[in-house]
Amino acid sequence: MRTVSDRPAIEVRDLHKYFGELEVLRGIDFRVQHGEVVCVIGPSGSGKSTLLRCINLLEPPSSGHVYVGGVEVTHPDVDIDAVRRKIGMLFQAFNLFPHLTVLQNLTIAQRRVLKRDKTEAIRVARDNLARVGLSEKEGSYPAQLSGGQQQRVAIARALSMGPDLMLFDEPTSALDPELVGDVLAVMRKLANEGMTMMVVTHEMSFAREVADRVAFMDGGMIVEEGEPAQVIGSPRHARTRTFLRRVLDPAAAEVGEVPDTGPAPRVDDAATPPAPRTVHGHYPG
Ligand SMILES: Nc1ncnc2c1ncn2[C@@H]1O[C@H](COP(=O)(O)OP(=O)(O)OP(=O)(O)O)[C@@H](O)[C@H]1O
Ligand SMILES: [Mg+2]
């Protein structure tokens, strides 16, 4: 397997994906550089999750090429397990094992997949639990944690595998509003540490503050991408403006009074998620 370090962390070329007759990705060209944080926004059904899932081959692309760290994952001879070990993936659902403690959830894949010995796996797990502010929960079972805590455990579990990059698919959208800030704070910290991140999110304030770049998807295409202040603050395309108006002012969208002209409302004015809170004394670092 060839790795070329000067290649982007993620490179997608002319990616198409069909589900039966339905073409859900219609020629995506997209890159994420090492250390870059890219937020992907767009309406429901626009293909955001499918794009993420094609990057680690959870969905096989219909045509086109995907490279991760310079390795072509769409090449027929690729060792996809080796590529996936480099990619941390976070979903809306946390997918923790309910019958295992937090610590066991963090060590099981390290031991089975990376063949780490028990002492090393526990050391790595504890380091990463500290990173997400949940050291004292290592003996708890997932059902004993809040949704936000479970999602932070899921982040710590992904980090324990030592990924080169992280893919997030709406990691906060299943959470009660007051729990969102803690998870976003962990993600912000990861971004500040230089982790390469591709984040599908509806959290516009997070995208605006943390992303190096924002890509807006609609109808299986990337309609526009650029600096967050530009894409969110003064989008070029009418479709982006319409979407942002709906996200930033859902009440207006529900009654169908959303004209497709004029600037989008400023992100600061609406839909600001709760400010991150410091929990358990040693977080965020
Ligand atoms: N496994 C599948 N089989 C058939 N159609 C699918 C499958 N997965 C997704 N689709 C369809 O592909 C399109 C894109 O779906 P996708 O989940 O990528 O959208 P999305 O942008 O992530 O939406 P959301 O914001 O609701 O999560 C949708 O029309 C969806 O119904
Ligand atoms: Mg989705």
Side-chain angles (χ1 to χ4, degrees):
M1 193 163 55
R2 202 170 64 102
T3 306
V4 185
S5 60
D6 58 355
R7 296 281 297 275
I10 302 170
E11 187 172 8
V12 173
R13 288 197 208 150
D14 197 26
L15 181 68
H16 293 256
K17 174 67 182 177
Y18 288 83
F19 288 111
E21 301 278 286
L22 183 66
E23 188 178 18
V24 301
L25 296 179
R26 301 193 293 152
I28 303 277
D29 289 286
F30 185 71
R31 289 169 169 218
V32 179
Q33 302 298 338
H34 294 280
E36 203 180 16
V37 178
V38 180
C39 284
V40 180
I41 63 173
S44 182
S46 57
K48 306 179 299 294
S49 295
T50 305
L51 174 58
L52 275 196
R53 293 166 63 80
C54 281
I55 288 170
N56 60 4
L57 295 197
L58 287 176
E59 289 291 350
S62 303
S63 67
H65 301 274
V66 177
Y67 303 82
V68 174
V71 175
E72 182 176 1
V73 302
T74 39
H75 192 283
D77 297 335
V78 74
D79 178 355
I80 189 60
D81 292 330
V83 175
R84 284 201 188 117
R85 282 201 281 277
K86 298 287 175 196
I87 305 176
M89 177 109 194
L90 258 292
F91 301 94
Q92 193 176 334
F94 330 117
N95 302 316
L96 299 174
F97 291 115
H99 61 292
L100 299 182
T101 65
V102 164
L103 193 67
Q104 289 165 338
N105 265 283
L106 264 64
T107 55
I108 186 169
Q110 292 187 63
R111 300 202 59 201
R112 290 205 181 151
V113 179
L114 302 181
K115 310 291 180 206
R116 282 188 185 144
D117 70 38
K118 191 174 176 182
T119 311
E120 172 71 355
I122 289 175
R123 187 190 64 73
V124 171
R126 287 188 170 141
D127 282 352
N128 285 302
L129 275 181
R131 277 170 98 179
V132 303
L134 288 174
S135 294
E136 75 283 22
K137 297 290 186 186
E138 69 168 56
S140 301
Y141 288 89
Q144 298 170 318
L145 304 179
S146 75
Q149 290 170 336
Q150 290 184 55
Q151 190 61 297
R152 281 149 60 201
V153 169
I155 292 173
R157 179 181 56 180
L159 291 173
S160 295
M161 303 300 281
D164 290 344
L165 60 116
M166 300 268 286
L167 308 178
F168 295 86
D169 193 355
E170 300 197 37
T172 60
S173 56
L175 300 178
D176 290 339
E178 74 271 21
L179 302 176
V180 168
D182 290 340
V183 174
L184 293 182
V186 166
M187 293 170 63
R188 186 181 287 115
K189 186 170 146 194
L190 270 186
N192 290 339
E193 289 169 5
M195 177 63 76
T196 305
M197 294 164 59
M198 185 168 166
V199 184
V200 174
T201 186
H202 289 294
E203 299 289 344
M204 292 303 137
S205 294
F206 177 84
R208 187 156 186 145
E209 285 165 34
V210 179
D212 298 302
R213 191 149 49 87
V214 170
F216 170 70
M217 280 186 77
D218 194 16
M221 313 222 290
I222 292 176
V223 174
E224 70 176 292
E225 59 180 307
E227 291 188 1
Q230 183 263 304
V231 175
I232 299 173
S234 51
R236 296 198 176 91
H237 288 263
R239 280 195 280 173
T240 319
R241 285 197 290 273
T242 304
F243 168 75
L244 285 169
R245 216 177 269 106
R246 288 201 179 114
V247 171
L248 297 174
D249 188 6
E254 273 164 29
V255 294
E257 289 173 359
V258 183
D260 193 14
T261 52
R266 286 177 52 80
V267 69
D268 316 350
D269 296 344
T272 305
R277 287 176 290 138
T278 302
V279 290
H280 312 313
H282 50 207
Y283 159 81

